[in-house]
Amino acid sequence: MRWWHSLRQTYPRRSAITLGIAVLAVCVVVGGLVIGASAATLHATSSDAFCSTACHELRDNAAAEFKGTVHDVNRTGVRVGCPDCHLPKEFVPMMIRKVEAAREVWGHFTGIIGTKEKYEKERYRMAVHEWKRMKANGAQECRNCHSFDSMDADKQSETARGRHAKAKAAGTICIDCHFGIAHKEPDGPGPAELK
């Protein structure tokens, strides 16, 4: 309350109500600016433009290999962006993922994946991290666009129809079978073999 006493001494001719309203107005304006800046930053760092240009590690590796995949260009014209797969849409999980991304910023500044060779060396570890994250949420990012119930089995091959029916019955999630479709598949066991 020392600040309030100082304020009252600085403006002795102003009533406590007037000063209180002024302080409240300043808090609202500053709070609005902080919230606006936070929202703008959150939006800007959740875009394909940011993911593919913010650092050379992503631009030269992940974003480059994504180009031309079925999620980038396809017969339906529906394009999936980096945040669609790597950033949950729900607020709390999205904020948790954003905090986790601080590790990736640290990796950028320390050069952990700063060259093509280093990126390839870390590819499997990074893939396992994403697979585990997606397995933990039941591949929610995939299910935001794909669901067993909305699939038209008649338009699928006999093999795909059978595998999808079996996967639905077993509760298998998308990435157990569909991995390496947007990025180069790493060497090592796939997501279905993860514990």
Side-chain angles (χ1 to χ4, degrees):
M1 294 311 280
R2 193 179 260 182
W3 65 271
W4 178 253
H5 183 67
S6 278
L7 190 64
R8 293 291 311 268
Q9 285 181 338
T10 305
Y11 299 101
R13 295 184 187 189
R14 305 286 182 213
S15 72
I17 293 174
T18 303
L19 288 175
I21 291 171
V23 168
L24 180 62
V26 168
C27 289
V28 167
V29 168
V30 170
L33 290 172
V34 168
I35 290 170
S38 298
T41 301
L42 192 63
H43 178 72
T45 59
S46 301
S47 68
D48 272 356
F50 179 81
C51 294
S52 61
T53 61
C55 61
H56 71 277
E57 293 93 345
L58 291 180
R59 181 192 67 226
D60 298 344
N61 297 294
E65 67 190 27
F66 175 74
K67 286 184 178 24
T69 65
V70 71
H71 279 120
D72 181 36
V73 180
N74 55 63
R75 62 182 169 72
T76 63
V78 176
R79 186 176 184 284
V80 177
C82 305
D84 294 321
C85 294
H86 296 284
L87 187 62
K89 295 194 183 322
E90 300 78 18
F91 184 74
V92 172
M94 175 177 41
M95 294 311 295
I96 291 169
R97 180 65 189 103
K98 289 285 188 176
V99 170
E100 288 175 347
R103 180 179 59 245
E104 295 158 16
V105 173
W106 175 253
H108 168 72
F109 287 117
T110 58
I112 291 172
I113 57 173
T115 66
K116 194 80 156 161
E117 295 75 26
K118 288 179 179 180
Y119 188 89
E120 288 302 324
K121 183 180 174 194
E122 295 295 320
R123 180 183 291 276
Y124 185 73
R125 181 192 58 77
M126 293 185 296
V128 166
H129 181 268
E130 279 301 289
W131 292 340
K132 284 183 177 179
R133 184 183 65 76
M134 292 179 88
K135 285 175 93 64
N137 70 14
Q140 180 62 51
E141 290 82 358
C142 299
R143 291 183 294 114
N144 286 335
C145 298
H146 306 280
S147 74
F148 286 120
D149 295 333
S150 65
M151 290 180 186
D152 187 347
D154 294 333
K155 292 184 179 177
Q156 296 177 358
S157 70
E158 190 175 324
T159 303
R161 234 186 340 266
R163 287 184 180 168
H164 283 138
K166 185 177 175 183
K168 184 178 180 181
T172 302
I173 65 169
C174 308
I175 64 162
D176 285 333
C177 300
H178 300 280
F179 62 99
I181 59 172
H183 301 290
K184 191 173 107 181
E185 187 177 320
D187 294 331
E193 289 82 35
L194 294 178
K195 301 289 182 226

